[in-house]
């Protein structure tokens, strides 16, 4: 993908988010005193609270925020999202940034990270020059939790309610044969959650995307399905290092640490660039 003006602005987003590895939402979640683990997300913002918060943001910031439903889960929970832009109700020719969390339901802090980015955007508009530029010249699509069923259960679960790992259910480099440890589903996009993310992504056509996961301490980059690096490796490396900021998180091209077939990152880069 040529890195012209939209990509330049997107790179500025990555630079702005370089401090997001220690955003207030994470501090609040870890400082509550309640033991936290990957077996439950009950101590974090619930799916119902997320929906109410996004609706509240749209009401409090109607000039720059719009709440929407991009789909539903296996168990019928709405998949909620927020668009932040200077003209959130207008379909303008402007670059889109996509930020997603909670693809795995037991990765609770990934959800809090997206919520914290939302707060940063809304509170910083008109106060922070980079946030203001981003909101004025682009739009940001934020989906706090994709696997809302796995996130909402009494016991949090990595897969969705049908036992499918959503991060193995995208069509790019998907494999039919059995993959150890994870169920990729009977076919690509067999799950309503991955179809919802696909359709929203194709509708908004983002120029750059961030997806939060835990607990690995690294910046994951494509490809995960092959040991070969993408043609724009240098650009991805530079953006990843800028995002890592002062943390010790290395930029790691996926195959070098985990092999993934049908993953969201590879689909996003392979299909949308």
């Amino acid at each position: 993908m040529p890195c012209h003006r939209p990509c330049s602005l997107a790179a500025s987003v990555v630079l702005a988010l370089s401090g997001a590895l220690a955003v207030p939402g994470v501090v609040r979640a870890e400082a509550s005193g309640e033991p936290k683990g990957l077996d439950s997300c009950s101590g974090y913002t619930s799916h119902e609270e997320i929906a109410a918060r996004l609706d509240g943001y749209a009401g409090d910031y109607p000039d720059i925020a719009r709440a929407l439903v991009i789909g539903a889960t296996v168990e019928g929970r709405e998949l909620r999202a927020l668009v932040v832009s200077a003209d959130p109700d207008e379909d303008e020719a402007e670059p889109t940034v996509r930020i997603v969390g909670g693809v795995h339901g037991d990765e609770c802090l990934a959800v809090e990270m997206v919520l914290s980015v939302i707060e940063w955007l809304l509170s910083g508009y008109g106060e922070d020059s980079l946030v203001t530029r981003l909101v004025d010249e682009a739009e940001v699509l934020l989906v706090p939790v994709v696997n809302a069923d796995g996130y909402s259960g009494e016991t949090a679960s990595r897969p969705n309610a049908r036992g499918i790992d959503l991060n193995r259910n995208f069509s790019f480099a998907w494999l039919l044969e059995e993959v150890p440890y994870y169920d990729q589903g009977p076919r690509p996009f067999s799950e309503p959650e991955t179809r919802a993310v696909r359709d929203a992504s194709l509708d908004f056509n983002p120029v750059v995307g961030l997806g939060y996961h835990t607990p690995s301490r690294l910046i994951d980059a494509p490809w995960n399905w092959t040991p070969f690096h993408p043609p724009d490796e240098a650009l991805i490396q530079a953006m990843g290092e800028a995002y890592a900021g002062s943390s010790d998180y290395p930029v790691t091209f996926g195959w070098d640490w985990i092999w993934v077939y049908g993953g969201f990152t590879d689909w996003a880069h392979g299909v949308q660039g």
Side-chain angles (χ1 to χ4, degrees):
M1 177 184 67
C3 190
H4 302 309
R5 176 182 169 275
C7 192
S8 175
L9 180 61
S12 297
V13 178
V14 175
L15 288 170
L17 289 171
S18 63
L21 298 175
V23 291
V26 176
V27 175
R28 286 198 305 272
E30 293 182 339
S32 65
E34 179 181 344
K36 297 296 188 296
L38 297 178
D39 59 340
S40 174
C41 294
S42 62
Y44 294 85
T45 309
S46 70
H47 179 258
E48 293 75 18
E49 291 168 338
I50 291 170
R53 187 180 295 185
L54 298 188
D55 288 339
Y57 288 146
D60 293 341
Y61 301 91
D63 293 335
I64 60 170
R66 173 170 62 96
L68 66 157
V69 177
I70 65 170
T73 67
V74 170
E75 295 181 346
R77 291 182 173 88
E78 291 184 337
L79 293 178
R80 304 300 301 268
L82 193 75
V83 174
V84 179
S85 172
D87 297 295
D89 296 315
E90 299 294 329
D91 185 12
E92 297 183 316
E94 56 186 357
T96 298
V97 179
R98 180 194 56 228
I99 302 178
V100 172
V103 173
H104 293 137
D106 57 356
E107 297 177 359
C108 319
L109 281 178
V111 177
E112 298 292 340
M113 291 292 289
V114 180
L115 293 174
S116 293
V117 172
I118 291 174
E119 293 179 6
W120 170 73
L121 289 170
L122 297 178
S123 64
Y125 185 69
E127 302 292 333
D128 181 288
S129 60
L130 183 54
V131 170
T132 303
R133 180 191 173 211
L134 170 61
V135 175
D136 283 343
E137 299 184 21
E139 66 180 354
V140 187
L141 172 67
L142 303 110
V143 185
V145 56
V146 175
N147 186 2
D149 292 344
Y151 179 78
S152 302
E154 183 175 343
T155 300
S157 64
R158 176 188 177 95
N160 72 349
R162 277 202 283 255
I164 305 303
D165 188 327
L166 300 179
N167 203 35
R168 306 295 188 276
N169 191 239
F170 287 81
S171 61
F172 193 86
W174 183 86
L175 288 181
L176 178 60
E177 58 261 31
E178 182 178 351
V179 178
Y181 311 117
Y182 305 113
D183 190 340
Q184 71 274 32
R187 61 190 178 280
F189 297 119
S190 62
E191 305 310 296
E193 298 92 344
T194 53
R195 293 196 298 271
V197 173
R198 174 200 63 190
D199 293 347
S201 297
L202 294 175
D203 184 30
F204 282 88
N205 195 27
V207 299
V208 70
L210 292 173
Y212 286 106
H213 286 268
T214 62
S216 300
R217 301 173 60 87
L218 52 84
I219 311 297
D220 181 63
W223 305 107
N224 285 94
W225 73 277
T226 175
F228 296 102
H229 292 185
D232 49 357
E233 173 183 358
L235 173 62
I236 294 173
Q237 180 79 34
M239 294 178 72
E241 290 175 354
Y243 175 70
S246 60
S247 77
D248 60 355
Y249 287 21
V251 178
T252 305
F253 287 85
W255 183 273
D256 296 340
W257 77 284
I258 186 172
W259 303 351
V260 174
Y261 300 95
F264 180 33
T265 298
D266 284 359
W267 176 83
H269 194 64
V271 173
Q272 296 193 291

